[in-house]
Amino acid sequence: MAELKSMANIGDEMAKKLASVGIDSPEKLARLGAKQAFFRLKEAYPQVCLVHLYALEGAIQDVEFNHLSEEKKKELKEFSDFLKK
């Protein structure tokens, strides 16, 4: 099984946070999806922000988060804003 840190945008700190909320492999992250993973992180770590959500989506798509499409970024921002309500 591959390590989370082998994915784009996932460093030591993000891998630790993900593992602490039950996401301990790239397969689990991909299966859950960026939004559900971000939701879990947000519950445990309220300070996580939109950039973390972009990083998770980028990890799943295997691209640097700043290379996500504008359409995808807009969708993710709307989700992040919804969670703030």
Side-chain angles (χ1 to χ4, degrees):
M1 183 170 5
E3 286 190 32
L4 284 166
K5 292 189 302 183
S6 69
M7 301 177 82
N9 310 309
I10 307 292
D12 290 337
E13 194 63 31
M14 177 68 94
K16 285 178 192 172
K17 286 179 178 175
L18 287 168
S20 77
V21 296
I23 304 167
D24 58 4
S25 70
E27 295 81 13
K28 282 187 182 177
L29 178 55
R31 190 169 45 250
L32 275 174
K35 291 178 183 177
Q36 182 61 37
F38 182 72
F39 180 75
R40 286 188 184 188
L41 286 174
K42 195 74 169 161
E43 286 186 308
Y45 304 96
Q47 76 278 15
V48 297
C49 65
L50 179 61
V51 174
H52 292 90
L53 179 54
Y54 288 170
L56 292 167
E57 182 64 31
I60 292 168
Q61 291 188 28
D62 194 29
V63 298
E64 295 297 323
F65 72 89
N66 53 352
H67 288 114
L68 293 171
S69 71
E70 291 305 314
E71 187 175 304
K72 179 55 78 173
K73 286 181 185 177
K74 182 177 186 275
E75 173 193 329
L76 295 173
K77 180 168 181 350
E78 287 172 358
F79 178 75
S80 176
D81 288 348
F82 173 76
L83 292 181
K84 291 177 185 175
K85 294 180 183 177

